Structures are given as structure tokens and as C-alpha cells.
């Protein structure tokens, strides 16, 4: 679906080995104070502090994990020291590592420690202390070195705070033996209070802070702090390491390398100043290693090897090399006054120079796929932001009943225009990979040349998809895609109607129209639970019954498995 409708938006790369060698105590304190145990600041951590934002772990390797908390002094605003402990038991009967780390207002009182010297594939527990105050206890896990157990992952995306309660995050915290949470973006939203489900937020008591659209460093810090006060999100972070990458709303709506449709330089200042403020806050608040001091912060590429079962390859498709999105308004008219769809696709949409990742990242990605296969990794799992499958719109004006279409057309506005345009059979959204078909073909070329067993993980659309990816020229299988619905953010089809029969019709029509799309759910909220072993990948699509009430039920509505390159079959 078009990016505006689908989210109501009318309103020199480093390699993993290099990342492993980063020492958080040298050159990183200006961002988020990531410290290694061997270089932690000395001191007694005697000053009392508030731990109101939980604990978190992330960015795991086979021998290290980053742990995180925020500790705000109860008195004064000076720099302070925070103690930490790591144990192999939840009761901390045996403390394996301990130390202190320094934090201050310069990094919003966030604390990150790169805990090293751990054993592969092991569960550890950690906690922090400041004075007499203790944090909650977190569970973390290092990457495995062998294939003793299947890889157990959760895929999450799109958690607009005012849209509802984070019941899906709570369910993620209940998955047994979870190795990691893959969060592919829209961890926060930048909108002002009252916008984008603002009425829902008012009703359930979840109104954005600060009240303005966030632009400055302090704005982004305040918004992140609000999100991290949520107990359900804290539970998910405390349960397993997060592997994270941003999408657009961590900066601004529909961002690209030189700007965003949601950013007005006339009133909101220079784009790069806003982008850099957003990224500084992101690195402060997320449990991940900071970039090297001389590396651009927007270049976020990492590889995580889970035994020899799967490489999780993180790509960045917003700020590094994405060209500006094209628009349906760029279509010219033919002599008879109808849109010249063929010219739009040929001359604008399929322009071979347009990029999602940029040439340096494309080269890095191709090498990451190739070397993953050379290391004997079975699956190449891509942490990717937007939907990759080809997805064109059915003619909803003829498919949907008149009692749905006519009121929507009479209301006018963007929804009416979208329904009118659906008859053209164009891609559903130009902010996704469908808006960059030449770049997607290069992505597929890299996968085929590496003989990758490709599994693409996606978010952004606020809808669930189970897809088989095909090469555009000859239809041969390239890989699989599992795209998660949102934690809370609204799906675009709900702006037209909200009945079960309507959703049934929409889902069947989209599947029938598109070869790539095998299963669809455009109505529910939740996440995807992935289990990978040496032979198969299994995706359990999880939904929650409501997001506007803390009393809810969770269920699996689709369970599919596949061998490399598909096809998908119901488990």
C-alpha cells in the first residue's frame, strides 16, 4: 500500500571483525559511554540514582554482549558512577564480572558496558547499582559457536506509542530460550502530540512527550525516555539481546540520505543537524556498540553468526545511500488525458541509477553474503527495513463492494485518490523496495551470485506478509521474506473500512494479484517468531487480540516452514 495511506502520514563500511575490536572506553564516551570491563571507571558507585527505564542488552558476539541502563542521580546533576555485575545464575550466587562505569548529562545518563570474555551460546544475567538503588535484572545470551540448538529469534517493528499498549512486546518477553530480538525500525515515532493516532493516545493515556514534533537532541532524548518507561518494552529488553537498525521514524517520516518528506528545512533547520541529533540519541539509548570515532554514524552494517546455521546481516536503507522517493504525481498524462503508466514505470520508477543502499554498501552486502557462504553458514538472514516483495494493487474500486467504496470516495482526500489509482496496477508503495526496482534487482543478483539461502526480514508496512521472492526477469526463486505487522502502528487499509469481511476481501485480492505474496494479514498487530535449523526455517506469526486494553490474548494465526528458497508450506 502507498506509504501515505499505509501509515496515515498525511500529516568504507566497517566489517564485523572490526566492530568486535571496538573498545568502548576509547573515543566513545562522547556518545554513550560504552565501556569495556577492563577499562571501566574506578569508584564506589555510592550516589543514589533512579533506574526508571529498565535494563537492556544487545549487539551480541560469541564472547561479548553490550549491557545498558539509565541512572539519573536523585540529587544534583553531576557525573556519577554506576556499578554492574554479571552472573551465570539469576540469583547472582556467583558473580563472574563486576565493575563501574561513568555517566553524566552529556550522554543523558545512559550507561553502556561491553561485557567481554564470555562463553559462546551461554545465558548470563546482569544488573546495575547506584548507591542503595538497584536496577532490575536482565537476561542476555552470547552467539553460539555450534549448532546444538535451533536459532530462536523474534522480529519486531513499528511501535507508535499513542496507538496502543505494547502487548506484543510483553509476549516477546515470554518466548522461552530466545536468542535475540531483531528490531527493524520505527522503534519510536517523531510526531507531535495529537497527531498520528493522537485521539487514541488521549483515550488510553499515552500522549507523546514532548508535545512538539521532535527535532533537537533533547527532543529525541525525551521521546526515547518516554518509550523506555513502558514496562512491556522493558520486559522485552530484559529478556534477550536486541539487534537493531532504524527505519525512518527514528529521524523523520520517509527519510532518505539528503532529507525526509517529514522534514521542513524552512521551519526545522538543516536536515543533517536533525539527523545527527536523532542518531546521537539512538546510540545513547539502544544497547549497541557505537560507531568508530572516524566512521559516519549513519553507516550501520553488522553481521551476526549463529553457529553455522544463520548469519544475520544488518543493512541500512534510509540514510546511507537511499535516493529520494519518486511520487505518483510524477506521472504524465497521455493525449487522451489518462495517466501514462508505461512511461512512469520505464523512465522514472525503473531508472537504473536509483539506489536504496548506495554503491559502497551494495559492495559490502555482496561480500557479506559471499563470505557467509564461505564460512559454511546455511541461512543468510537479512535485517531489512521495508517490504521487499513485489506488491501491486488490485483494482479495489471494482473488487470492494459499493457500500465500502462509495463512502470512501465521497469523503475525498488521499484515500479517495488512492482508491482511484488502484485501478492502474502500480506498486502499492514507493517508499519500499517496490519504489526502487533496479536496486532490488542488484540485491537479488548479489544473493544469486553468492548462492545464498536468503531470508529477508522486514517491517514498516504495519501488516504481516509471508512471501516467496522471485527474480524479475525469469521468475526463478531468490529467497523468502517474512514481514511483521506492527507492535501498535495502524495499518493503512483500516482507513477505508474496519470489518472482518472487508479485510478478508483485501487480503485475498492482494495474494491473488501478486506472485510473491503467499499469505497476508493487514488487520492485526504483533510480531514474528522465527526458528531456524540446518534444514528449515519456520515462521510463527503472532497476533494480540487488542492494543487498546492491557487485558489481551495472544495467538499464532499462521505457521509456515520452508527449505532454502521455498516454497512456503503451512506447518
Amino acid at each position: 500500500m502507498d506509504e501515505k495511506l499505509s501509515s496515515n502520514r498525511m500529516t568504507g563500511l566497517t566489517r564485523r571483525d572490526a566492530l568486535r575490536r571496538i573498545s568502548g572506553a576509547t573515543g566513545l564516551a562522547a556518545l554513550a559511554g560504552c565501556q569495556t570491563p577492563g577499562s571501566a571507571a574506578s569508584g564506589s558507585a555510592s550516589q543514589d540514582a533512579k533506574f526508571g527505564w529498565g535494563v537492556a542488552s544487545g549487539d551480541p558476539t560469541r564472547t561479548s554482549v553490550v549491557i545498558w541502563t539509565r541512572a539519573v542521580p536523585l540529587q544534583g546533576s553531576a557525573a556519577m558512577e554506576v556499578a554492574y555485575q554479571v552472573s551465570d545464575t539469576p540469583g547472582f550466587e556467583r558473580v563472574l564480572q563486576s565493575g563501574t562505569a561513568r555517566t553524566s548529562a552529556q550522554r543523558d545518563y545512559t550507561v553502556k558496558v561491553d561485557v567481554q570474555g564470555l562463553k559462546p551460546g551461554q545465558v548470563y544475567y546482569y544488573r546495575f547499582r547506584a548507591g542503595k538503588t538497584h536496577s532490575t535484572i536482565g537476561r542476555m545470551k552470547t552467539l553460539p559457536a555450534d549448532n546444538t540448538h535451533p536459532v530462536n529469534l523474534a522480529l519486531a517493528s513499528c511501535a507508535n506509542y499513542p496507538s496502543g499498549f505494547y502487548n506484543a512486546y510483553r509476549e516477546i518477553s515470554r518466548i522461552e530460550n530466545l536468542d535475540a530480538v531483531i528490531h527493524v525500525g520505527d522503534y519510536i515515532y517523531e510526531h507531535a502530540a495529537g497527531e498520528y493516532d493522537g485521539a487514541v493516545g488521549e483515550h488510553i493515556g499515552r500522549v507523546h512527550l514532548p508535545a512538539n514534533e521532535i527535532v533537537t537532541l533533547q527532543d529525541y532524548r525525551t521521546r526515547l525516555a518516554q518509550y523506555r518507561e513502558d514496562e512491556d518494552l522493558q520486559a522485552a529488553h530484559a529478556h534477550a539481546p536486541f539487534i537493531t537498525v532504524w527505519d525512518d521514524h527514528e529521524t523523520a517520516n520517509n527519510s532518505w540520505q539528503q532529507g525526509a518528506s517529514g522534514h521542513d528545512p524552512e521551519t526545522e533547520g538543516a536536515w543533517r543537524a536533525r539527523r545527527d541529533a536523532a542518531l546521537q540519541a539512538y546510540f545513547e539509548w539502544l544497547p549497541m556498540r557505537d560507531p568508530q570515532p572516524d566512521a559516519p554514524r549513519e553507516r550501520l552494517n553488522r553481521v551476526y553468526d549463529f553457529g553455522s546455521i544463520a548469519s544475520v546481516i544488518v543493512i541500512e536503507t534510509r540514510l546511507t545511500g537511499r535516493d529520494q522517493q519518486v511520487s505518483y504525481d510524477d506521472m504524465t498524462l497521455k493525449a487522451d488525458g489518462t495517466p501514462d503508466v508505461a512511461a512512469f514505470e520505464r523512465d522514472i520508477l525503473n531508472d537504473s541509477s536509483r539506489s536504496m543502499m548506495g554503491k559502497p554498501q551494495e559492495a559490502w552486502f555482496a561480500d557479506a553474503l559471499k563470505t557467509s557462504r564461505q564460512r559454511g553458514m546455511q541461512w543468510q538472514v537479512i535485517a531489512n527495513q521495508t517490504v521487499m516483495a513485489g506488491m501491486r494493487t488490485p483494482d479495489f474500486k471494482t473488487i470492494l463492494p459499493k457500500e465500502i467504496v462509495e463512502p470512501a470516495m465521497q469523503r475525498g482526500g488521499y484515500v479517495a485518490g488512492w482508491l482511484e489509482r488502484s485501478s492502474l496496477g502500480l506498486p502499492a508503495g514507493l517508499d519500499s523496495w517496490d519504489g526502487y526496482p533496479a536496486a532490488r534487482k542488484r540485491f537479488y543478483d548479489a544473493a544469486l551470485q553468492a548462492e545464498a539461502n536468503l531470508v529477508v526480514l522486514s517491517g514498516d508496512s504495519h501488516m504481516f506478509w509471508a512471501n516467496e521472492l522471485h527474480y524479475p526477469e525469469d521468475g526463478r526463486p531468490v529467497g523468502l521474506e517474512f514481514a511483521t505487522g506492527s507492535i501498535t502502528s495502524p495499518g493503512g487499509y483500516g482507513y477505508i473500512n474496519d470489518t472482518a469481511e472487508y479485510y478478508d476481501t483485501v487480503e485475498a485480492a492482494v495474494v491473488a494479484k501478486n506472485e510473491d505474496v503467499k499469505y497476508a494479514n493487514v488487520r492485526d498487530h504483533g510480531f514474528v517468531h522465527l526458528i531456524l535449523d540446518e534444514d528449515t526455517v519456520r515462521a510463527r506469526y503472532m497476533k494480540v487480540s487488542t492494543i487498546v486494553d492491557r487485558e489481551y490474548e495472544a495467538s499464532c494465526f499462521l505457521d509456515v516452514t520452508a527449505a532454502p528458497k521455498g516454497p512456503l508450506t503451512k506447518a
Side-chain angles (χ1 to χ4, degrees):
M1 177 167 280
D2 186 277
E3 63 272 18
K4 292 183 180 177
L5 182 58
S6 68
S7 59
N8 194 24
R9 289 161 179 160
M10 306 170 196
T11 43
L13 300 172
T14 57
R15 296 289 299 277
R16 189 178 71 155
D17 289 342
L19 285 170
R20 281 179 169 175
R21 292 195 295 269
I22 292 176
S23 171
T26 304
L28 297 179
L31 277 181
C34 189
Q35 295 177 294
T36 59
S39 58
S42 62
S44 61
S46 60
Q47 185 175 1
D48 287 335
K50 174 186 176 182
F51 293 105
W53 301 268
V55 297
S57 70
D59 218 354
T61 74
R62 290 178 177 176
T63 59
S64 65
V65 185
V66 172
I67 59 174
W68 179 99
T69 194
R70 189 190 194 214
V72 176
L74 296 182
Q75 294 183 347
S77 59
M80 62 178 295
E81 288 171 342
V82 179
Y84 64 89
Q85 292 179 321
V86 176
S87 176
D88 55 1
T89 63
F92 286 79
E93 290 84 2
R94 180 172 58 242
V95 175
L96 303 178
Q97 292 192 32
S98 63
T100 58
R102 183 176 291 274
T103 188
S104 69
Q106 184 182 9
R107 49 184 168 261
D108 207 18
Y109 294 104
T110 59
V111 178
K112 287 198 284 191
V113 179
D114 188 355
V115 182
Q116 301 181 354
L118 304 175
K119 295 180 180 179
Q122 297 295 308
V123 172
Y124 295 92
Y125 302 89
Y126 62 97
R127 63 186 178 187
F128 298 87
R129 178 186 59 80
K132 299 178 181 179
T133 312
H134 288 81
S135 73
T136 55
I137 295 171
R139 168 190 178 275
M140 64 181 180
K141 190 175 184 180
T142 51
L143 299 184
D146 55 39
N147 300 341
T148 306
H149 303 287
V151 178
N152 202 11
L153 305 172
L155 170 65
S157 178
C158 303
N160 187 45
Y161 184 84
S163 292
F165 297 113
Y166 288 161
N167 296 334
Y169 279 141
R170 176 64 62 177
E171 284 305 303
I172 288 174
S173 75
R174 292 171 174 160
I175 299 175
E176 294 184 2
N177 303 316
L178 187 62
D179 290 303
V181 178
I182 313 296
H183 201 295
V184 292
D186 294 345
Y187 184 89
I188 63 168
Y189 281 71
E190 82 283 13
H191 302 293
E195 296 180 359
Y196 195 39
D197 264 358
V200 176
E202 288 276 1
H203 179 70
I204 63 175
R206 291 172 71 89
V207 178
H208 262 151
L209 296 174
N212 55 280
E213 181 173 333
I214 54 176
V215 176
T216 67
L217 174 59
Q218 188 55 51
D219 288 343
Y220 284 101
R221 285 171 166 174
T222 300
R223 187 64 55 88
L224 279 157
Q226 180 184 36
Y227 276 58
R228 291 293 283 274
E229 287 176 341
D230 184 275
E231 293 182 357
D232 297 321
L233 177 55
Q234 288 183 21
H237 270 297
H239 184 58
F242 269 53
I243 295 171
T244 61
V245 62
W246 53 73
D247 192 28
D248 55 340
H249 289 289
E250 286 88 349
T251 50
N253 184 33
N254 290 349
S255 56
W256 56 289
Q257 60 180 324
Q258 298 296 332
S261 69
H263 177 76
D264 183 357
E266 296 295 323
T267 60
E268 295 172 323
W271 164 248
R272 291 202 174 188
R274 181 178 185 176
R275 180 201 69 182
D276 290 349
L279 294 187
Q280 178 171 338
Y282 186 88
F283 279 109
E284 288 171 347
W285 278 85
L286 272 292
M288 60 196 300
R289 290 174 183 81
D290 298 334
Q292 292 178 337
D294 58 348
R297 280 176 286 183
E298 69 273 15
R299 292 185 180 177
L300 188 62
N301 296 96
R302 292 159 292 161
V303 181
Y304 303 87
D305 283 347
F306 290 80
S308 61
I309 291 178
S311 292
V312 173
I313 302 171
V314 179
I315 62 173
E316 197 286 313
T317 63
R318 281 291 171 188
L319 306 175
T320 302
R322 180 194 276 252
D323 291 318
Q324 187 172 13
Q325 299 87 342
V326 299
S327 170
Y328 299 112
D329 294 336
D330 296 331
M331 269 190 294
T332 59
L333 300 179
K334 296 187 288 188
D336 62 1
T338 59
D340 194 337
V341 176
F344 174 74
E345 295 217 47
R346 181 187 65 245
D347 301 331
I348 298 175
L349 195 58
N350 282 283
D351 181 352
S352 62
S353 68
R354 299 186 64 249
S355 173
M356 276 283 264
M357 297 195 295
K359 289 183 178 180
Q361 188 179 186
E362 286 181 355
W364 175 89
F365 174 66
D367 182 67
L369 290 174
K370 190 187 314 178
T371 56
S372 173
R373 293 297 288 164
Q374 291 171 350
R375 292 194 304 275
M377 309 302 295
Q378 172 70 321
W379 298 97
Q380 286 65 52
V381 179
I382 314 304
N384 155 74
Q385 291 74 64
T386 62
V387 173
M388 183 162 286
M391 199 175 301
R392 293 177 178 260
T393 54
D395 184 355
F396 285 115
K397 282 189 68 178
T398 60
I399 292 171
L400 295 174
K402 290 183 178 179
E403 57 266 29
I404 290 177
V405 172
E406 289 179 354
M409 296 299 293
Q410 290 170 2
R411 289 196 300 269
Y414 189 83
V415 170
W418 185 87
L419 281 169
E420 190 70 51
R421 194 176 59 248
S422 71
S423 63
L424 302 178
L426 286 164
L430 299 180
D431 187 53
S432 69
W433 284 89
D434 254 345
Y436 301 79
R440 179 171 57 196
K441 184 174 179 293
R442 293 192 295 271
F443 184 104
Y444 288 172
D445 286 337
L448 292 171
Q449 289 167 11
E451 298 183 348
N453 293 325
L454 191 70
V455 175
V456 177
L457 306 182
S458 307
D460 183 69
S461 74
H462 309 171
M463 306 171 217
F464 291 97
W465 311 100
N467 302 323
E468 296 172 5
L469 305 175
H470 298 89
Y471 198 69
E473 294 181 352
D474 55 21
R476 62 192 145 139
V478 177
L480 305 167
E481 180 178 33
F482 303 115
T484 183
S486 67
I487 298 292
T488 58
S489 305
Y493 285 103
Y495 297 118
I496 299 173
N497 195 264
D498 194 26
T499 63
E501 296 78 11
Y502 159 76
Y503 284 130
D504 290 342
T505 301
V506 167
E507 290 163 0
V510 174
V511 171
K513 176 75 174 178
N514 297 284
E515 180 188 14
D516 282 3
V517 182
K518 302 306 175 186
Y519 303 98
N521 177 330
V522 303
R523 68 188 90 180
D524 289 309
H525 302 276
F527 62 95
V528 179
H529 179 197
L530 293 159
I531 304 101
L532 302 99
D533 60 27
E534 294 172 300
D535 301 313
T536 60
V537 57
R538 179 182 180 188
R540 300 179 68 245
Y541 286 71
M542 305 297 298
K543 69 176 182 179
V544 293
S545 58
T546 182
I547 59 171
V548 294
D549 196 311
R550 292 193 179 276
E551 297 294 325
Y552 68 93
E553 295 180 356
S555 60
C556 176
F557 67 88
L558 175 66
D559 192 343
V560 293
T561 63
K565 297 184 176 64
L568 292 168
T569 58
K570 287 189 177 181

